[in-house]
Protein backbone atom coordinates (compact mmCIF):
# COMPACT_ATOMS: atom_id res chain seq x y z
CA UNK A 1 0.00 0.00 0.00
CA UNK A 2 2.76 2.43 0.93
CA UNK A 3 4.51 2.98 -2.42
CA UNK A 4 1.43 4.59 -3.97
CA UNK A 5 0.93 7.15 -1.28
CA UNK A 6 0.38 10.09 -3.56
CA UNK A 7 -2.12 8.73 -6.08
CA UNK A 8 -5.53 10.31 -5.93
CA UNK A 9 -8.01 7.72 -4.65
CA UNK A 10 -11.75 7.15 -4.82
CA UNK A 11 -14.16 4.77 -3.07
CA UNK A 12 -17.73 4.31 -2.04
CA UNK A 13 -17.60 5.37 1.61
CA UNK A 14 -20.95 3.96 2.70
CA UNK A 15 -21.73 0.31 3.48
CA UNK A 16 -22.55 -1.99 0.57
CA UNK A 17 -26.23 -2.56 -0.03
CA UNK A 18 -29.17 -0.23 -0.34
CA UNK A 19 -29.64 2.84 1.81
CA UNK A 20 -31.22 6.27 1.74
CA UNK A 21 -27.92 7.97 1.01
CA UNK A 22 -24.64 6.69 -0.40
CA UNK A 23 -21.36 8.56 -0.49
CA UNK A 24 -18.54 8.48 -3.01
CA UNK A 25 -15.38 10.07 -1.74
CA UNK A 26 -12.35 11.26 -3.71
CA UNK A 27 -9.07 12.36 -2.12
CA UNK A 28 -5.92 13.68 -3.77
CA UNK A 29 -4.59 16.74 -5.55
CA UNK A 30 -5.77 18.68 -8.59
CA UNK A 31 -9.33 17.39 -8.48
CA UNK A 32 -10.65 20.25 -10.64
CA UNK A 33 -11.22 18.04 -13.68
CA UNK A 34 -13.13 15.45 -11.64
CA UNK A 35 -15.28 18.15 -10.04
CA UNK A 36 -16.02 19.77 -13.39
CA UNK A 37 -16.88 16.45 -15.00
CA UNK A 38 -19.22 15.22 -12.25
CA UNK A 39 -20.68 18.50 -11.04
CA UNK A 40 -20.49 20.66 -14.15
CA UNK A 41 -18.97 23.58 -12.26
CA UNK A 42 -16.55 24.57 -9.51
CA UNK A 43 -17.83 24.25 -5.96
CA UNK A 44 -17.78 26.69 -3.07
CA UNK A 45 -15.38 25.20 -0.46
CA UNK A 46 -17.07 23.30 2.36
CA UNK A 47 -20.56 24.17 1.17
CA UNK A 48 -23.13 21.56 0.27
CA UNK A 49 -24.33 22.18 -3.28
CA UNK A 50 -27.39 20.38 -4.58
CA UNK A 51 -26.83 19.49 -8.23
CA UNK A 52 -27.12 16.80 -10.89
CA UNK A 53 -24.14 14.40 -11.17
CA UNK A 54 -23.25 14.10 -14.84
CA UNK A 55 -22.11 11.20 -17.02
CA UNK A 56 -19.66 11.51 -19.93
CA UNK A 57 -22.44 12.64 -22.27
CA UNK A 58 -23.55 15.35 -19.85
CA UNK A 59 -26.66 13.37 -18.89
CA UNK A 60 -27.82 13.23 -15.26
CA UNK A 61 -26.68 10.08 -13.41
CA UNK A 62 -28.31 11.09 -10.14
CA UNK A 63 -28.93 14.23 -8.15
CA UNK A 64 -27.47 14.95 -4.77
CA UNK A 65 -25.13 17.01 -2.67
CA UNK A 66 -21.52 17.70 -3.55
CA UNK A 67 -19.01 19.05 -1.05
CA UNK A 68 -15.49 20.17 -1.88
CA UNK A 69 -12.85 20.34 0.86
CA UNK A 70 -9.66 22.05 -0.38
CA UNK A 71 -6.46 20.85 1.32
CA UNK A 72 -5.57 20.75 4.13
CA UNK A 73 -8.98 21.13 5.76
CA UNK A 74 -10.40 17.69 5.12
CA UNK A 75 -10.47 14.25 6.71
CA UNK A 76 -7.37 13.11 4.84
CA UNK A 77 -5.58 16.45 4.82
CA UNK A 78 -5.65 16.31 1.01
CA UNK A 79 -8.17 17.88 -1.34
CA UNK A 80 -11.41 15.92 -0.97
CA UNK A 81 -14.61 15.71 -2.99
CA UNK A 82 -17.68 14.06 -1.49
CA UNK A 83 -20.71 13.13 -3.54
CA UNK A 84 -23.80 12.28 -1.54
CA UNK A 85 -26.11 10.41 -3.85
CA UNK A 86 -28.99 7.96 -3.52
CA UNK A 87 -27.77 4.87 -1.76
CA UNK A 88 -28.27 2.20 -4.40
CA UNK A 89 -25.38 -0.08 -5.31
CA UNK A 90 -25.79 0.52 -9.06
CA UNK A 91 -26.00 4.31 -8.77
CA UNK A 92 -22.89 4.36 -6.61
CA UNK A 93 -20.96 2.09 -8.96
CA UNK A 94 -21.89 4.36 -11.88
CA UNK A 95 -20.66 7.41 -9.97
CA UNK A 96 -17.48 5.61 -8.98
CA UNK A 97 -16.82 4.58 -12.59
CA UNK A 98 -17.49 8.12 -13.78
CA UNK A 99 -15.01 9.54 -11.24
CA UNK A 100 -12.36 7.05 -12.39
CA UNK A 101 -12.96 8.00 -15.99
CA UNK A 102 -12.83 11.73 -15.29
CA UNK A 103 -9.75 11.29 -13.11
CA UNK A 104 -7.74 9.19 -15.54
CA UNK A 105 -5.58 12.20 -16.34
CA UNK A 106 -4.48 12.59 -12.74
CA UNK A 107 -4.05 8.84 -12.15
CA UNK A 108 -7.14 8.39 -9.96
CA UNK A 109 -7.54 4.83 -8.69
CA UNK A 110 -9.82 2.89 -6.34
CA UNK A 111 -8.76 3.19 -2.70
CA UNK A 112 -7.58 0.21 -0.69
CA UNK A 113 -9.06 -0.55 2.74
CA UNK A 114 -8.21 2.13 5.27
CA UNK A 115 -6.38 4.28 2.77
CA UNK A 116 -8.29 7.48 3.54
CA UNK A 117 -7.52 7.15 7.24
CA UNK A 118 -3.94 6.21 6.46
CA UNK A 119 -3.56 9.50 4.64
CA UNK A 120 -5.10 11.35 7.56
CA UNK A 121 -2.40 9.70 9.70
CA UNK A 122 0.42 10.52 7.27
CA UNK A 123 -0.78 14.13 7.04
CA UNK A 124 -0.81 14.41 10.84
CA UNK A 125 -4.57 14.75 11.09
CA UNK A 126 -4.63 11.80 13.49
CA UNK A 127 -1.98 9.81 15.28
CA UNK A 128 -1.92 6.04 14.97
CA UNK A 129 -3.90 5.34 18.14
CA UNK A 130 -6.60 7.71 16.93
CA UNK A 131 -6.62 6.17 13.47
CA UNK A 132 -7.10 2.75 15.04
CA UNK A 133 -9.93 4.18 17.11
CA UNK A 134 -11.74 5.12 13.90
CA UNK A 135 -11.81 1.45 12.93
CA UNK A 136 -12.66 0.37 16.48
CA UNK A 137 -15.57 2.79 16.60
CA UNK A 138 -16.96 1.34 13.39
CA UNK A 139 -16.47 -2.20 14.67
CA UNK A 140 -17.67 -1.55 18.23
CA UNK A 141 -20.05 -4.30 19.32
CA UNK A 142 -21.21 -2.69 22.57
CA UNK A 143 -22.13 0.81 23.64
CA UNK A 144 -19.24 0.90 26.11
CA UNK A 145 -16.82 -0.04 23.33
CA UNK A 146 -18.23 2.66 21.08
CA UNK A 147 -17.98 5.35 23.75
CA UNK A 148 -14.42 4.35 24.59
CA UNK A 149 -13.43 4.32 20.93
CA UNK A 150 -14.89 7.76 20.54
CA UNK A 151 -12.83 8.95 23.50
CA UNK A 152 -9.65 7.49 21.97
CA UNK A 153 -10.52 9.07 18.65
CA UNK A 154 -10.72 12.50 20.23
CA UNK A 155 -7.23 11.92 21.57
CA UNK A 156 -7.91 10.82 25.17
CA UNK A 157 -5.55 7.87 25.02
CA UNK A 158 -2.92 9.68 22.95
CA UNK A 159 -2.87 12.55 25.44
CA UNK A 160 -1.92 10.17 28.24
CA UNK A 161 0.85 8.69 26.10
CA UNK A 162 2.13 12.18 25.27
CA UNK A 163 2.33 13.15 28.92
CA UNK A 164 4.44 10.07 29.61
CA UNK A 165 6.59 10.69 26.58
CA UNK A 166 7.25 14.32 27.53
CA UNK A 167 8.36 13.30 31.00
CA UNK A 168 10.67 10.68 29.50
CA UNK A 169 12.09 13.17 27.04
CA UNK A 170 12.85 15.66 29.82
CA UNK A 171 14.68 13.04 31.78
CA UNK A 172 16.56 11.82 28.73
CA UNK A 173 17.75 15.33 27.97
CA UNK A 174 19.09 15.68 31.48
CA UNK A 175 20.86 12.33 31.39
CA UNK A 176 22.34 12.87 27.97
CA UNK A 177 23.52 16.37 28.79
CA UNK A 178 25.27 15.03 31.87
CA UNK A 179 26.98 12.31 29.84
CA UNK A 180 29.29 14.99 28.54
CA UNK A 181 30.41 15.91 32.06
CA UNK A 182 31.30 12.58 33.64
CA UNK A 183 32.71 14.10 36.82
CA UNK A 184 29.26 15.35 37.75
CA UNK A 185 27.44 12.09 37.12
CA UNK A 186 26.63 11.03 40.62
CA UNK A 187 25.80 14.51 41.63
CA UNK A 188 23.39 14.87 38.78
CA UNK A 189 21.33 11.89 39.80
CA UNK A 190 20.87 13.35 43.21
CA UNK A 191 20.28 16.97 42.21
CA UNK A 192 17.80 16.31 39.46
CA UNK A 193 16.14 13.65 41.57
CA UNK A 194 16.39 11.29 38.61
CA UNK A 195 15.30 8.39 40.78
CA UNK A 196 12.22 10.23 41.97
CA UNK A 197 11.33 11.23 38.42
CA UNK A 198 11.77 7.68 37.17
CA UNK A 199 9.60 6.36 39.93
CA UNK A 200 6.88 8.89 39.14
CA UNK A 201 6.94 7.99 35.45
CA UNK A 202 6.76 4.28 36.26
CA UNK A 203 3.79 4.84 38.57
CA UNK A 204 2.01 6.86 35.91
CA UNK A 205 2.76 4.20 33.30
CA UNK A 206 1.21 1.52 35.49
CA UNK A 207 -2.01 3.49 35.66
CA UNK A 208 -2.15 3.95 31.90
CA UNK A 209 -1.38 0.27 31.41
CA UNK A 210 -4.20 -0.78 33.71
CA UNK A 211 -6.65 1.39 31.81
CA UNK A 212 -5.35 0.22 28.44
CA UNK A 213 -5.89 -3.38 29.52
CA UNK A 214 -9.50 -2.55 30.31
CA UNK A 215 -9.82 -0.82 26.96
CA UNK A 216 -8.40 -3.83 25.15
CA UNK A 217 -10.86 -6.04 26.99
CA UNK A 218 -13.75 -3.87 25.78
CA UNK A 219 -12.54 -4.19 22.24
CA UNK A 220 -11.49 -7.81 22.15
CA UNK A 221 -13.45 -9.49 24.92
CA UNK A 222 -12.59 -12.99 26.10
CA UNK A 223 -13.32 -16.48 24.86
CA UNK A 224 -15.33 -18.59 27.27
CA UNK A 225 -15.73 -22.30 26.54
CA UNK A 226 -18.45 -24.41 28.17
CA UNK A 227 -17.38 -28.04 28.43
CA UNK A 228 -18.35 -31.14 30.36
CA UNK A 229 -19.87 -34.57 29.94
CA UNK A 230 -22.83 -35.13 27.64
CA UNK A 231 -26.26 -34.04 28.89
CA UNK A 232 -25.05 -31.87 31.78
CA UNK A 233 -26.80 -28.84 30.25
CA UNK A 234 -24.06 -27.02 28.30
CA UNK A 235 -26.31 -26.03 25.43
CA UNK A 236 -29.04 -25.03 27.86
CA UNK A 237 -26.53 -22.79 29.64
CA UNK A 238 -25.43 -21.11 26.40
CA UNK A 239 -29.08 -20.48 25.53
CA UNK A 240 -29.79 -19.10 28.99
CA UNK A 241 -26.80 -16.75 28.86
CA UNK A 242 -27.66 -15.58 25.35
CA UNK A 243 -31.37 -15.33 26.05
CA UNK A 244 -32.11 -17.18 22.81
CA UNK A 245 -32.60 -20.75 21.61
CA UNK A 246 -29.33 -21.00 19.74
CA UNK A 247 -28.23 -24.57 20.38
CA UNK A 248 -30.40 -27.67 20.22
CA UNK A 249 -31.29 -29.09 23.65
CA UNK A 250 -32.57 -32.66 24.10
CA UNK A 251 -32.40 -35.28 26.86
CA UNK A 252 -30.31 -37.41 24.50
CA UNK A 253 -26.62 -37.46 25.49
CA UNK A 254 -24.45 -36.43 22.56
CA UNK A 255 -26.88 -33.88 21.11
CA UNK A 256 -24.30 -31.22 20.30
CA UNK A 257 -21.78 -32.23 17.67
CA UNK A 258 -20.36 -29.03 16.29
CA UNK A 259 -19.48 -26.05 18.44
CA UNK A 260 -22.06 -23.28 18.72
CA UNK A 261 -20.79 -19.82 19.56
CA UNK A 262 -22.40 -16.57 20.48
CA UNK A 263 -21.06 -13.23 21.66
CA UNK A 264 -22.88 -11.92 24.68
CA UNK A 265 -22.06 -8.75 26.56
CA UNK A 266 -21.85 -8.23 30.27
CA UNK A 267 -21.45 -4.61 31.33
CA UNK A 268 -20.30 -3.87 27.83
CA UNK A 269 -17.53 -6.48 27.82
CA UNK A 270 -17.93 -8.87 24.91
CA UNK A 271 -17.74 -12.52 25.92
CA UNK A 272 -17.46 -15.02 23.10
CA UNK A 273 -19.22 -18.05 24.59
CA UNK A 274 -18.75 -21.43 22.95
CA UNK A 275 -20.90 -24.50 23.55
CA UNK A 276 -19.15 -27.75 22.72
CA UNK A 277 -19.85 -31.43 22.21
CA UNK A 278 -20.06 -33.32 25.52
CA UNK A 279 -16.89 -35.21 26.32
CA UNK A 280 -17.02 -38.96 26.86
CA UNK A 281 -14.49 -41.62 26.09
CA UNK A 282 -14.06 -42.84 22.55
CA UNK A 283 -15.81 -46.15 23.14
CA UNK A 284 -18.96 -44.52 24.46
CA UNK A 285 -19.28 -42.00 21.64
CA UNK A 286 -21.99 -43.05 19.22
CA UNK A 287 -20.31 -42.46 15.92
CA UNK A 288 -17.59 -40.78 13.92
CA UNK A 289 -19.43 -37.43 14.00
CA UNK A 290 -19.49 -37.33 17.77
CA UNK A 291 -15.83 -38.35 17.97
CA UNK A 292 -14.85 -35.46 15.70
CA UNK A 293 -17.03 -33.15 17.82
CA UNK A 294 -15.19 -34.23 20.98
CA UNK A 295 -11.82 -33.62 19.33
CA UNK A 296 -13.02 -30.11 18.52
CA UNK A 297 -14.07 -29.58 22.10
CA UNK A 298 -10.50 -30.23 23.21
CA UNK A 299 -9.19 -27.82 20.60
CA UNK A 300 -11.57 -25.14 21.88
CA UNK A 301 -10.49 -25.75 25.47
CA UNK A 302 -6.86 -25.28 24.46
CA UNK A 303 -7.63 -21.84 23.05
CA UNK A 304 -9.99 -20.65 25.79
CA UNK A 305 -9.42 -17.66 28.05
CA UNK A 306 -11.84 -19.19 30.52
CA UNK A 307 -13.33 -22.66 30.87
CA UNK A 308 -16.71 -23.36 32.43
CA UNK A 309 -16.41 -27.00 33.48
CA UNK A 310 -20.05 -27.93 33.84
CA UNK A 311 -21.26 -30.67 36.19
CA UNK A 312 -24.72 -32.22 36.59
CA UNK A 313 -25.87 -32.03 40.22
CA UNK A 314 -28.48 -34.73 39.67
CA UNK A 315 -25.80 -37.24 38.76
CA UNK A 316 -22.90 -36.44 41.06
CA UNK A 317 -22.17 -39.53 43.11
CA UNK A 318 -23.02 -41.99 40.33
CA UNK A 319 -19.77 -43.95 39.85
CA UNK A 320 -19.81 -43.81 36.04
CA UNK A 321 -20.52 -40.11 36.08
CA UNK A 322 -17.82 -39.26 38.63
CA UNK A 323 -15.29 -41.29 36.66
CA UNK A 324 -16.23 -39.31 33.55
CA UNK A 325 -15.58 -35.99 35.30
CA UNK A 326 -12.29 -37.27 36.70
CA UNK A 327 -11.19 -38.34 33.23
CA UNK A 328 -11.90 -34.86 31.86
CA UNK A 329 -10.14 -33.15 34.78
CA UNK A 330 -7.08 -35.32 34.19
CA UNK A 331 -6.84 -34.19 30.57
CA UNK A 332 -7.24 -30.44 31.14
CA UNK A 333 -4.21 -28.42 30.04
CA UNK A 334 -1.85 -27.53 32.90
CA UNK A 335 -2.08 -23.82 32.02
CA UNK A 336 -5.83 -23.95 32.53
CA UNK A 337 -5.42 -25.50 35.96
CA UNK A 338 -2.59 -23.21 37.03
CA UNK A 339 -4.27 -19.90 36.22
CA UNK A 340 -7.62 -19.02 37.67
CA UNK A 341 -9.23 -19.56 34.33
CA UNK A 342 -11.09 -22.72 35.27
CA UNK A 343 -14.58 -22.29 36.72
CA UNK A 344 -16.20 -25.46 38.09
CA UNK A 345 -19.92 -24.95 37.65
CA UNK A 346 -22.78 -27.09 38.95
CA UNK A 347 -25.95 -27.17 36.87
CA UNK A 348 -29.53 -28.32 37.51
CA UNK A 349 -29.65 -26.70 40.95
CA UNK A 350 -33.44 -26.69 40.58
CA UNK A 351 -33.49 -30.49 40.68
CA UNK A 352 -30.85 -31.38 43.26
CA UNK A 353 -29.23 -29.86 46.35
CA UNK A 354 -26.38 -27.44 45.65
CA UNK A 355 -22.82 -28.40 46.60
CA UNK A 356 -21.19 -26.89 49.65
CA UNK A 357 -18.49 -25.31 47.54
CA UNK A 358 -18.57 -23.89 44.04
CA UNK A 359 -20.99 -22.02 41.88
CA UNK A 360 -24.43 -23.60 41.38
CA UNK A 361 -26.76 -22.57 38.55
CA UNK A 362 -29.91 -23.71 36.87
CA UNK A 363 -29.95 -23.21 33.14
CA UNK A 364 -33.63 -24.09 33.37
CA UNK A 365 -34.75 -21.41 35.86
CA UNK A 366 -31.90 -18.94 35.45
CA UNK A 367 -30.93 -19.19 39.12
CA UNK A 368 -27.28 -18.36 39.77
CA UNK A 369 -26.66 -16.83 36.34
CA UNK A 370 -26.06 -13.34 37.75
CA UNK A 371 -23.36 -14.71 40.04
CA UNK A 372 -21.88 -16.53 37.06
CA UNK A 373 -21.81 -13.32 35.00
CA UNK A 374 -19.99 -11.55 37.83
CA UNK A 375 -17.48 -14.37 38.09
CA UNK A 376 -16.82 -14.16 34.36
CA UNK A 377 -16.24 -10.41 34.53
CA UNK A 378 -13.81 -10.85 37.40
CA UNK A 379 -12.03 -13.59 35.55
CA UNK A 380 -11.73 -11.36 32.52
CA UNK A 381 -10.01 -8.81 34.77
CA UNK A 382 -12.77 -6.26 34.40
CA UNK A 383 -13.03 -3.77 37.23
CA UNK A 384 -13.33 -0.30 35.83
CA UNK A 385 -16.59 1.34 35.00
CA UNK A 386 -16.70 2.24 31.33
CA UNK A 387 -16.82 5.94 32.16
CA UNK A 388 -13.59 7.62 31.19
CA UNK A 389 -12.20 4.53 29.51
CA UNK A 390 -10.48 4.65 26.16
CA UNK A 391 -10.38 1.83 23.68
CA UNK A 392 -7.06 0.06 23.28
CA UNK A 393 -5.62 -2.89 21.45
CA UNK A 394 -3.43 -5.76 22.48
CA UNK A 395 -0.72 -4.03 20.46
CA UNK A 396 -0.94 -1.01 22.76
CA UNK A 397 -0.87 -3.12 25.89
CA UNK A 398 2.24 -4.91 24.64
CA UNK A 399 3.99 -1.65 23.80
CA UNK A 400 3.20 -0.32 27.28
CA UNK A 401 4.55 -3.52 28.86
CA UNK A 402 7.78 -3.16 26.90
CA UNK A 403 8.03 0.46 27.97
CA UNK A 404 7.64 -0.70 31.55
CA UNK A 405 10.41 -3.27 31.16
CA UNK A 406 12.87 -0.67 29.94
CA UNK A 407 11.84 1.72 32.67
CA UNK A 408 12.52 -1.01 35.22
CA UNK A 409 15.99 -1.52 33.76
CA UNK A 410 16.58 2.22 33.85
CA UNK A 411 15.54 2.32 37.49
CA UNK A 412 17.81 -0.59 38.34
CA UNK A 413 20.66 1.33 36.76
CA UNK A 414 19.81 4.56 38.56
CA UNK A 415 19.57 2.75 41.88
CA UNK A 416 22.83 0.85 41.56
CA UNK A 417 25.80 2.08 43.65
CA UNK A 418 27.65 3.18 40.52
CA UNK A 419 25.09 4.01 37.89
CA UNK A 420 26.26 3.91 34.27
CA UNK A 421 24.62 6.93 32.75
CA UNK A 422 25.08 5.73 29.17
CA UNK A 423 23.14 2.55 29.95
CA UNK A 424 20.51 4.56 31.75
CA UNK A 425 20.18 6.85 28.73
CA UNK A 426 19.85 3.87 26.42
CA UNK A 427 17.04 2.29 28.47
CA UNK A 428 15.19 5.60 28.49
CA UNK A 429 15.54 5.84 24.73
CA UNK A 430 14.14 2.33 24.27
CA UNK A 431 11.28 3.09 26.64
CA UNK A 432 10.43 6.17 24.61
CA UNK A 433 10.53 4.22 21.34
CA UNK A 434 8.03 1.70 22.63
CA UNK A 435 5.70 4.49 23.69
CA UNK A 436 6.11 5.99 20.23
CA UNK A 437 4.89 2.74 18.65
CA UNK A 438 1.46 3.45 20.08
CA UNK A 439 1.01 6.85 18.50
CA UNK A 440 2.87 5.91 15.34
CA UNK A 441 6.05 7.92 15.85
CA UNK A 442 8.13 4.76 15.78
CA UNK A 443 6.07 2.23 13.91
CA UNK A 444 7.57 0.08 11.18
CA UNK A 445 5.99 0.51 7.73
CA UNK A 446 4.88 -3.10 7.44
CA UNK A 447 2.99 -2.84 10.71
CA UNK A 448 1.31 0.34 9.46
CA UNK A 449 0.26 -1.46 6.29
CA UNK A 450 -1.08 -4.33 8.36
CA UNK A 451 -3.07 -2.03 10.63
CA UNK A 452 -4.71 -0.04 7.85
CA UNK A 453 -5.43 -3.05 5.66
CA UNK A 454 -7.88 -4.27 8.30
CA UNK A 455 -10.08 -1.22 7.87
CA UNK A 456 -13.15 -1.26 5.70
CA UNK A 457 -12.99 0.11 2.17
CA UNK A 458 -13.78 3.79 1.88
CA UNK A 459 -12.60 4.63 5.40
N1 LIG B 1 -33.82 -29.75 35.66
C1 LIG B 1 -32.93 -29.22 34.82
N2 LIG B 1 -32.70 -29.79 33.63
C2 LIG B 1 -31.80 -29.21 32.81
C3 LIG B 1 -31.11 -28.03 33.17
N3 LIG B 1 -30.28 -27.73 32.15
C4 LIG B 1 -30.46 -28.64 31.19
N4 LIG B 1 -31.39 -29.56 31.58
C5 LIG B 1 -31.85 -30.72 30.81
O1 LIG B 1 -30.76 -31.58 30.57
C6 LIG B 1 -30.85 -32.20 29.29
C7 LIG B 1 -29.60 -31.96 28.49
O2 LIG B 1 -29.47 -30.57 28.22
P1 LIG B 1 -28.50 -30.02 27.11
O3 LIG B 1 -28.44 -28.56 27.28
O4 LIG B 1 -28.85 -30.55 25.77
O5 LIG B 1 -27.15 -30.69 27.58
P2 LIG B 1 -25.71 -30.69 26.88
O6 LIG B 1 -24.71 -30.69 27.95
O7 LIG B 1 -25.64 -29.65 25.86
O8 LIG B 1 -25.71 -32.14 26.19
P3 LIG B 1 -24.84 -32.63 24.93
O9 LIG B 1 -24.99 -31.67 23.82
O10 LIG B 1 -25.45 -33.95 24.62
O11 LIG B 1 -23.44 -32.79 25.39
C8 LIG B 1 -32.11 -31.61 28.64
O12 LIG B 1 -33.17 -32.52 28.82
C9 LIG B 1 -32.33 -30.32 29.42
O13 LIG B 1 -33.70 -29.96 29.46
C10 LIG B 1 -31.38 -27.47 34.46
O14 LIG B 1 -30.82 -26.44 34.87
N5 LIG B 1 -32.29 -28.10 35.24
MG1 LIG C 1 -25.36 -29.70 23.88
Amino acid sequence: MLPRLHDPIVAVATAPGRGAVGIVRVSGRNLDAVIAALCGKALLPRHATYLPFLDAAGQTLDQGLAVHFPAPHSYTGEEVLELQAHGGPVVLQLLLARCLEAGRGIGLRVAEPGEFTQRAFLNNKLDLAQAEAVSDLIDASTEAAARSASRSLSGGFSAEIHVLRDQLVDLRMLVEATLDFPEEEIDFLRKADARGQLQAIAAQLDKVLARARQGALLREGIKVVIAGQPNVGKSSLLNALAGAELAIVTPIPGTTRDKVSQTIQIEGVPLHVIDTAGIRDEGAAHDEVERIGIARTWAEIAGADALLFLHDLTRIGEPGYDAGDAAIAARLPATMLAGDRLVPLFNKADAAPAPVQGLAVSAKTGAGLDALRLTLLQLAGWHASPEGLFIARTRHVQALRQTREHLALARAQANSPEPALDLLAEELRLAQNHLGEITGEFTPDDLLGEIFSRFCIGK
Side-chain angles (χ1 to χ4, degrees):
M1 194 188 303
L2 287 168
R4 302 190 293 158
L5 279 180
H6 297 294
D7 297 350
I9 48 174
V10 60
V12 176
T14 38
R18 300 182 317 154
V21 178
I23 296 179
V24 174
R25 187 192 257 165
V26 188
S27 178
R29 279 182 284 191
N30 306 324
L31 300 185
D32 293 353
V34 179
I35 296 173
L38 268 292
C39 306
K41 59 180 179 186
L43 300 169
L44 206 57
R46 282 176 298 283
H47 275 70
T49 312
Y50 180 65
L51 43 72
F53 302 132
L54 306 173
D55 69 10
Q59 301 290 313
T60 300
L61 277 172
D62 188 13
Q63 307 205 9
L65 293 178
V67 188
H68 178 214
F69 302 88
H73 303 295
S74 68
Y75 179 65
T76 58
E78 299 179 323
E79 184 181 355
V80 166
L81 172 68
E82 261 188 36
L83 304 176
Q84 306 184 3
H86 290 98
V90 176
V91 181
L92 293 172
Q93 284 310 313
L94 283 174
L95 282 173
L96 182 73
R98 178 69 190 123
C99 286
L100 284 169
E101 192 179 43
R104 198 171 294 144
I106 54 168
L108 183 66
R109 64 169 168 83
V110 174
E112 291 175 36
E115 222 178 345
F116 289 92
T117 309
Q118 184 181 30
R119 291 192 179 188
F121 165 68
L122 293 170
N123 291 323
N124 294 320
K125 289 274 167 182
L126 300 167
D127 67 31
L128 191 56
Q130 287 175 301
E132 290 172 310
V134 170
S135 173
D136 293 343
L137 180 59
I138 293 171
D139 291 339
S141 58
T142 69
E143 181 184 337
R147 285 184 186 278
S148 313
S150 171
R151 212 166 280 119
S152 288
L153 176 54
S154 12
F157 182 31
S158 307
E160 307 228 10
I161 300 300
H162 289 153
V163 169
L164 279 171
R165 187 206 49 195
D166 291 348
Q167 290 170 344
L168 266 179
V169 169
D170 285 351
L171 193 58
R172 269 189 74 190
M173 276 171 20
L174 262 171
V175 175
E176 283 176 18
T178 318
L179 274 177
D180 301 332
F181 303 100
E183 64 281 1
E184 293 173 23
E185 277 189 15
I186 308 302
D187 212 29
F188 143 77
L189 283 176
R190 197 166 37 75
K191 260 198 245 152
D193 189 23
R195 292 188 190 96
Q197 284 195 47
L198 263 174
Q199 191 179 349
I201 297 173
Q204 178 65 19
L205 178 78
D206 281 344
K207 282 191 201 153
V208 177
L209 181 56
R211 293 180 65 201
R213 281 194 53 230
Q214 301 292 299
L217 203 54
L218 268 187
R219 177 178 183 270
E220 279 142 28
I222 63 165
K223 179 171 159 185
V224 180
V225 170
I226 310 175
Q229 297 190 65
N231 227 28
V232 296
K234 299 178 296 298
S235 302
S236 306
L237 180 64
L238 172 76
N239 293 350
L241 285 171
E245 297 303 307
L246 300 170
I248 300 173
V249 169
T250 74
I252 307 163
T255 300
T256 305
R257 306 300 189 83
D258 228 339
K259 64 168 187 179
V260 181
S261 42
Q262 174 71 14
T263 298
I264 61 166
Q265 50 160 305
I266 306 179
E267 286 187 20
V269 179
L271 298 182
H272 313 291
V273 184
I274 296 162
D275 170 32
T276 58
I279 301 170
R280 52 180 156 185
D281 69 47
E282 288 249 324
H286 282 156
D287 53 32
E288 182 66 11
V289 183
E290 189 180 351
R291 273 188 285 276
I292 295 173
I294 294 174
R296 289 193 178 177
T297 299
W298 284 109
E300 290 300 330
I301 291 175
D305 295 311
L307 174 64
L308 299 182
F309 185 2
L310 200 60
H311 307 281
D312 185 341
L313 282 170
T314 64
R315 290 172 61 202
I316 284 179
E318 287 175 23
Y321 176 84
D322 288 352
D325 267 359
I328 295 176
R331 254 193 84 176
L332 289 177
T335 48
M336 190 61 75
L337 296 169
D340 42 7
R341 297 187 292 144
L342 174 68
V343 183
L345 194 61
F346 299 88
N347 189 32
K348 310 197 186 180
D350 57 288
V356 189
Q357 275 192 340
L359 208 54
V361 295
S362 166
K364 192 173 175 182
T365 66
L369 290 188
D370 280 342
L372 172 60
R373 290 191 185 97
L374 266 181
T375 304
L376 285 174
L377 276 185
Q378 272 170 6
L379 199 142
W382 179 253
H383 35 67
S385 76
E387 278 319 303
L389 266 194
F390 40 72
I391 205 104
R393 299 182 170 203
T394 307
R395 177 182 95 73
H396 304 146
V397 173
Q398 276 165 353
L400 286 169
R401 289 211 174 110
Q402 280 165 321
T403 308
R404 186 168 68 178
E405 273 170 33
H406 289 293
L407 272 185
L409 291 172
R411 289 177 73 186
Q413 200 50 253
N415 291 331
S416 72
E418 288 192 32
L421 283 197
D422 50 349
L423 295 182
L424 175 58
E426 177 62 5
E427 294 303 340
L428 291 177
R429 187 184 69 80
L430 292 171
Q432 188 192 339
N433 282 3
H434 284 297
L435 271 186
E437 284 171 12
I438 297 175
T439 49
E441 277 172 86
F442 298 100
T443 312
D445 283 352
D446 48 351
L447 180 61
L448 284 179
E450 159 90 17
I451 289 172
F452 285 106
S453 67
R454 289 167 189 268
F455 276 53
C456 45
I457 296 252
K459 194 61 227 178

